[in-house]
Amino acid sequence: MYEVLVYVYENYDGSADCADRQQLGRRLSTLGFERNAIQQALSWLDGLDRTASGLPAAEREALPSTLAAPTSPPLRIYGAHEMERLGGDGIACLRFLEDAGALSPALREIVIDRALAASDEAPLALDDLKIIVMMVYWHAGINPGILVLDELTDNASARRPH
């Protein structure tokens, strides 16, 4: 499913361009994606549409291209199920994005909802969570800025210590 989401993220400019899910499904099928992965991704995107429909207009405004000054977002207490599914690395990633001013509490809740809906895998792989964060930004029409995108697309396992 994540390969399909990455393809949609990289090839469609905003959710309006892929609103016709049947046409998108046919396109993905002709590209060789597996039917099950396509169905899961389209269902996940429909869930994102429903979840994000209540997003306040202020949240849809583009973030600055540089990180905002850190603020103290409201404290989020994670339930046992959320902690199990997101894992320590996932929760730390979300907290980092919040502390950096790149993820509002409303967007965080959408990310959590979509992460819990994405997979039965526990904990969710950090790279998969980052894809979900990028899809939420994409859907909301938010440009998180180059530093945040770098953090979300960085492959930490490929880093070499100096």
Side-chain angles (χ1 to χ4, degrees):
M1 174 183 87
Y2 295 104
E3 294 84 11
V4 175
L5 292 177
V6 169
Y7 177 84
V8 170
Y9 176 83
E10 290 176 345
N11 292 283
Y12 289 87
D13 187 29
S15 61
D17 292 343
C18 70
D20 183 355
R21 297 290 196 256
Q22 269 189 327
Q23 182 179 359
L24 178 60
R26 285 190 300 272
R27 170 86 174 136
L28 294 167
S29 182
T30 61
L31 291 168
F33 288 106
E34 292 181 16
R35 180 181 172 87
N36 189 37
I38 293 170
Q39 288 175 338
Q40 287 177 339
L42 294 179
S43 177
W44 188 90
L45 286 169
D46 288 340
L48 178 59
D49 288 344
R50 285 188 303 277
T51 304
S53 66
L55 187 64
E59 295 292 334
R60 296 185 183 274
E61 295 177 13
L63 295 173
S65 59
T66 58
L67 294 177
T71 59
S72 296
L75 181 62
R76 171 62 154 86
I77 305 297
Y78 292 88
H81 178 66
E82 293 170 330
M83 291 175 63
E84 178 185 339
R85 294 286 298 283
L86 294 171
D89 289 341
I91 292 171
C93 177
L94 294 177
R95 184 63 191 192
F96 167 78
L97 292 171
E98 284 183 277
D99 289 346
L103 190 66
S104 70
L107 287 177
R108 176 198 60 217
E109 293 306 313
I110 294 171
V111 168
I112 292 169
D113 176 77
R114 295 291 76 213
L116 296 178
S119 171
D120 290 333
E121 188 180 318
L124 183 66
L126 184 57
D127 288 341
D128 294 342
L129 178 64
K130 289 178 178 183
I131 290 169
I132 291 169
V133 171
M134 289 175 24
M135 290 300 295
V136 169
Y137 284 148
W138 169 80
H139 187 274
I142 293 173
N143 177 6
I146 193 71
L147 294 176
V148 174
L149 284 177
D150 185 52
E151 181 64 33
L152 292 173
T153 59
D154 182 41
N155 183 355
S157 64
R159 290 184 193 156
R160 298 175 95 177
H162 293 279

